[in-house]
Amino acid sequence: AQKVTQAQTEISVVEKEDVTLDCVYETRDTTYYLFWYKQPPSGELVFLIRRNSFDEQNEISGRYSWNFQKSTSSFNFTITASQVVDSAVYFCALSEAGGGGNKLTFGTGTQLKVEL
Amino acid sequence: DGGITQSPKYLFRKEGQNVTLSCEQNLNHDAMYWYRQDPGQGLRLIYYSQIVNDFQKGDIAEGYSVSREKKESFPLTVTSAQKNPTAFYLCASSSRDGSYEQYFGPGTRLTVT
């Protein structure tokens, strides 16, 4: 069975600090997809990134960057120069490819608080 | 604007009553999903549907029912058999290919007393 672990329940930083959110996953499949979602206080999940298991290149999008390492089954998310608007719950999720549909397994989320 | 709508945002019911949560999408997605979120927890899959008139149970389907009569709509009924129905319910949709991300609605917060 697939599993996603986000060991950090809550992180507090001061604005402009860099912060890394950890995600460790377990799967028996060789083909799978990893996702990060942001959940602001309004409650709606916002898609941030998708990465497939064959693409280990790191990705940068503005202040956001993702580090995917198959050797350690990790898909970590870094926010550079954090801002108050980054305050939210962030979820890492895993989807296995195949005929079972696009079922996502979510981690328990990391609450990020960015303070002035 | 394309997106997913869920109504209402907040819903209150008395114990023992069935309640139906609405989910509509205009993204032309084949697949739709219902998740439940409890405080401090991740999302858990209740039901999903990959195509009209077909749906499958997720990890916590007991006490819930769904229908998929139209591509755009995937209503969820929380029945009186659901022991702890108070939760935040999120609907999502995606292309059928497993590589595509799911897009979520704003959610419905259900409180049963």
Side-chain angles (χ1 to χ4, degrees):
Chain A
Q2 51 188 353
K3 183 180 178 182
V4 176
T5 301
Q6 295 179 256
Q8 304 153 308
T9 304
E10 186 173 318
I11 300 175
S12 291
V13 299
V14 176
E15 201 174 38
K16 297 183 183 176
E17 284 186 16
D18 298 347
V19 58
T20 296
L21 310 181
D22 298 333
C23 173
V24 174
Y25 62 92
E26 297 175 27
T27 179
R28 294 180 180 177
D29 275 15
T30 55
T31 302
Y32 51 89
Y33 301 88
L34 294 162
F35 304 81
W36 275 96
Y37 284 87
K38 174 181 180 180
Q39 187 177 40
S42 62
E44 182 172 345
L45 265 73
V46 177
F47 166 76
L48 296 178
I49 190 172
R50 178 189 78 238
R51 174 67 70 218
N52 73 55
S53 53
F54 297 108
D55 183 2
E56 288 194 70
Q57 281 192 340
N58 292 332
E59 182 157 339
I60 298 174
S61 176
R63 296 185 295 108
Y64 295 171
S65 62
W66 291 269
N67 182 287
F68 175 33
Q69 293 194 345
K70 286 180 74 170
S71 60
T72 57
S73 297
S74 66
F75 186 42
N76 296 338
F77 174 29
T78 297
I79 301 175
T80 302
S82 60
Q83 299 176 2
V84 172
V85 293
D86 295 326
S87 297
V89 181
Y90 291 87
F91 290 98
C92 180
L94 167 68
S95 172
E96 292 176 343
N102 186 17
K103 294 169 61 178
L104 288 179
T105 297
F106 284 84
T108 52
T110 297
Q111 170 85 58
L112 174 64
K113 294 183 179 179
V114 182
E115 300 165 337
L116 291 171
Chain B
D1 284 337
I4 301 174
T5 56
Q6 291 185 244
S7 60
K9 180 72 171 174
Y10 298 94
L11 192 53
F12 299 88
R13 281 293 183 271
K14 294 290 187 185
E15 197 173 319
Q17 293 179 337
N18 291 355
V19 58
T20 297
L21 280 59
S22 165
C23 177
E24 304 276 334
Q25 56 98 0
N26 61 4
L27 299 168
N28 200 33
H29 284 162
D30 288 301
M32 297 187 73
Y33 313 80
W34 274 106
Y35 292 90
R36 169 185 172 133
Q37 185 179 22
D38 294 285
Q41 297 192 30
L43 280 69
R44 292 183 290 168
L45 183 64
I46 304 172
Y47 268 98
Y48 66 103
S49 168
Q50 296 185 70
I51 198 167
V52 174
N53 291 323
D54 185 50
F55 48 83
Q56 288 79 40
K57 293 181 179 180
D59 300 319
I60 55 166
E62 185 175 349
Y64 300 98
S65 65
V66 294
S67 63
R68 187 84 186 277
E69 298 176 0
K70 297 187 299 182
K71 186 176 184 177
E72 306 78 32
S73 178
F74 191 39
L76 172 74
T77 296
V78 184
T79 75
S80 56
Q82 168 50 233
K83 291 183 169 46
N84 296 296
T86 295
F88 188 50
Y89 291 88
L90 285 153
C91 179
S93 69
S94 74
S95 298
R96 284 183 65 188
D97 185 317
S99 65
Y100 288 97
E101 56 273 14
Q102 294 182 16
Y103 293 93
F104 285 79
T108 292
R109 194 167 297 279
L110 173 64
T111 301
V112 177
T113 57

